[in-house]
Amino acid sequence: MKKLIKYLRNYKKELVFGPFFKLLEAIFELIVPHVMGRIIDIGITNNDTKYILRMSGLIVLLGFCGLGFALTCQMLAAKCAYGFGTELRTSLYKHINSLSYSSIDKVGTASLVNRLTNDSNTVQNGVNMFIRLATRSPFLVIGAMVMAMRIDLKLSVIFFIVAILTTIVIVAVMNKTVPMYKTTQKNLDKASMLTRENLEGARVIRAFARQKE
């Protein structure tokens, strides 16, 4: 992954401001339940219609602001990810063209095509997801824990337990799926090779009328 960082050098602003806007969206999401609680505790309890309407307007404003921050982050993440993918594929294509015939035969045409298409798209989507979720998810968890502790310290213990169990499940799933991904890549290479051979040999097969076999 370290070797891929150089392809992000032209997208430093997107890497900084993308997570920043996602962080703002997360902050606004955490404020909404707090405002809703004040509406119930103050507005509804005291039958204060003006206060309820004012706080409801604030929730709508927070929602629109959060949407704006989310769309801005999406735009920055897409610009960074697709630009990164373009530079990666360009560099990879140049590298493949510089390989010797023996190296190309050793690696295989199917594998090289998969590297240019499937693998590049996977890494590109990974960059996109990182910008969108790397800041938002941890902050939402931490922020939710803090707010839960402020509301009720005893009940927040349940939240801590659930968060720990969720983390354990995620780690276990990742440990299980990462080795499976390598196997999937080998199978994709094999499927691409068989498809290529079948398509290239279609004329010969038809010429000898051996379609069924």
Side-chain angles (χ1 to χ4, degrees):
M1 196 63 194
K2 293 180 180 179
K3 296 180 180 179
L4 300 178
I5 294 177
K6 63 181 180 180
Y7 299 109
L8 293 169
R9 62 181 180 272
N10 295 325
Y11 305 97
K12 295 178 181 178
K13 292 181 180 179
E14 287 78 6
L15 284 172
V16 173
F17 288 105
F20 173 72
F21 281 107
K22 208 63 179 178
L23 177 63
L24 292 178
E25 180 199 353
I27 292 174
F28 278 52
E29 282 188 22
L30 291 172
I31 293 176
V32 170
H34 179 69
V35 176
M36 182 62 70
R38 292 183 66 86
I39 290 176
I40 296 172
D41 295 339
I42 299 176
I44 295 178
T45 301
N46 299 324
N47 198 22
D48 190 341
T49 305
K50 291 183 179 180
Y51 184 84
I52 295 173
L53 292 175
R54 188 166 66 251
M55 290 295 103
S56 299
L58 178 59
I59 290 178
V60 174
L61 179 62
L62 291 173
F64 277 110
C65 290
L67 176 62
F69 293 143
L71 293 176
T72 304
C73 176
Q74 291 282 86
M75 181 189 69
L76 294 173
K79 183 179 178 181
C80 179
Y82 283 94
F84 164 83
T86 301
E87 293 192 13
L88 176 62
R89 278 186 284 269
T90 301
S91 178
L92 184 57
Y93 184 74
K94 290 180 179 178
H95 176 69
I96 291 174
N97 284 330
S98 67
L99 295 175
S100 63
Y101 292 125
S102 59
S103 297
I104 293 177
D105 292 338
K106 183 179 180 180
V107 177
T109 305
S111 295
L112 294 176
V113 171
N114 270 334
R115 301 300 170 267
L116 275 171
T117 54
N118 185 63
D119 288 3
S120 298
N121 287 333
T122 300
V123 178
Q124 176 180 289
N125 292 333
V127 173
N128 196 343
M129 295 294 290
F130 175 81
I131 295 175
R132 291 165 50 197
L133 300 177
T135 303
R136 183 177 183 273
S137 298
F139 186 82
L140 277 178
V141 173
I142 296 173
M145 286 182 178
V146 173
M147 294 191 72
M149 292 174 65
R150 287 184 58 189
I151 296 173
D152 193 317
L153 186 59
K154 292 182 179 179
L155 289 177
S156 65
V157 175
I158 299 174
F159 189 89
F160 277 98
I161 295 173
V162 173
I164 293 172
L165 292 176
T166 304
T167 303
I168 293 173
V169 171
I170 292 173
V171 172
V173 170
M174 289 182 64
N175 290 334
K176 184 71 175 178
T177 54
V178 169
M180 293 172 63
Y181 176 77
K182 296 180 180 179
T183 304
T184 302
Q185 289 301 108
K186 293 180 180 179
N187 291 332
L188 281 173
D189 291 347
K190 185 177 180 180
S192 297
M193 181 185 67
L194 292 173
T195 304
R196 176 172 166 268
E197 289 177 350
N198 288 336
L199 292 175
E200 286 183 347
R203 291 180 180 273
V204 178
I205 292 170
R206 288 177 182 176
F208 287 93
R210 310 299 295 180
Q211 288 93 330
K212 291 183 179 180
E213 289 77 3

